[in-house]
Amino acid sequence: MHPGCTIWFTGLSGSGKTTSSRIVAKELKKMGLPVEVLDGDVIRKNLSKGLGFSKEDRDTNIRRIGFVAEKLTRYGVYVCVAAISPYRETRNEVKESIGRFVEVHCHASLDVLEQRDVKGLYKLAREGKIQHFTGVSDPYEEPEAPDAVVRSDGSETPEQSARKILDIMRRKGYFRQVSEKSPSAEIMIS
């Protein structure tokens, strides 16, 4: 069985992790590849229910997501993970355990994120109504050498970002032959 790949989208709240992961997942599905999206908000409500936002709980959450992603990747699934995952050491630990891994840093300045604050979370964090909010009252350690940086500040479209990620996956050799009619996985962004 040919292994899949984990594409790990990390970044501050509102930086485009979910949007980017869904676009990449859609394109992978178009290629006929098995895909699963593990969204941090959904995981928190199900797999990690009851965990708080201490460093230890955040690390436990990321390790749980990594465990699931590693199992799926091993069995040929392309896993798109969208999770803040604020601590570099834990992200690197998960990356090492999975192996076939693309780290994507979804980046926009804190100013841009606070201006577009769709969920109103930054405002609540600034008012002290949300404790331990990554980027405001808790740290976010940017990746030192991500495979891709998604510029979610408007300098590139989500489709351009997805194309960049898929190109990196191709260069790393993470696509397999899907059928007789499709000798190589093609990247088509509509």
Side-chain angles (χ1 to χ4, degrees):
M1 175 175 286
H2 194 286
C5 173
T6 293
I7 308 96
W8 196 285
F9 297 84
T10 178
L12 293 173
S13 179
S15 64
K17 298 177 300 298
T18 298
T19 299
S20 295
S21 67
R22 287 180 180 162
I23 292 170
V24 169
K26 179 181 172 186
E27 294 306 317
L28 293 169
K29 285 178 185 175
K30 283 183 187 177
M31 291 182 227
L33 298 169
V35 178
E36 187 63 50
V37 176
L38 301 177
D39 186 88
D41 290 341
V42 176
I43 296 292
R44 275 248 175 219
K45 290 177 186 167
N46 297 288
L47 184 64
S48 292
K49 190 174 185 172
L51 287 179
F53 292 92
S54 67
K55 182 178 185 323
E56 182 179 284
D57 282 356
R58 288 175 191 261
D59 286 345
T60 297
N61 182 50
I62 295 310
R63 286 183 182 112
R64 286 179 183 177
I65 296 169
F67 176 81
V68 173
E70 189 273 327
K71 297 298 179 206
L72 290 168
T73 297
R74 185 186 322 160
Y75 289 103
V77 178
Y78 286 73
V79 184
C80 294
V81 174
I84 292 172
S85 38
Y87 303 111
R88 193 177 298 124
E89 182 179 346
T90 311
R91 285 193 311 265
N92 289 340
E93 177 186 315
V94 168
K95 177 180 184 176
E96 190 174 311
S97 74
I98 294 172
R100 292 173 58 91
F101 190 96
V102 175
E103 184 176 42
V104 179
H105 180 208
C106 296
H107 183 271
S109 71
L110 194 53
D111 287 342
V112 168
L113 296 174
E114 288 189 84
Q115 285 172 17
R116 70 177 173 216
D117 199 9
V118 180
K119 298 177 185 176
L121 299 175
Y122 285 97
K123 183 177 186 292
L124 293 172
R126 292 284 184 206
E127 293 171 352
K129 294 177 182 172
I130 297 178
Q131 300 297 313
H132 308 291
F133 191 79
T134 304
V136 175
S137 53
D138 258 16
Y140 175 75
E141 300 171 0
E142 292 188 1
E144 292 177 327
D147 296 297
V149 176
V150 167
R151 301 281 174 200
S152 59
D153 58 4
S155 60
E156 67 186 31
T157 67
E159 291 75 21
Q160 289 170 324
S161 299
R163 192 173 302 112
K164 179 175 22 179
I165 293 162
L166 294 167
D167 284 343
I168 288 165
M169 292 173 69
R170 177 188 286 142
R171 284 195 305 273
K172 286 181 169 251
Y174 290 166
F175 292 123
R176 63 179 180 265
Q177 187 170 328
V178 210
S179 71
E180 291 293 324
K181 291 182 181 180
S182 175
S184 66
E186 291 297 320
I187 298 172
M188 304 294 285
I189 306 275
S190 22

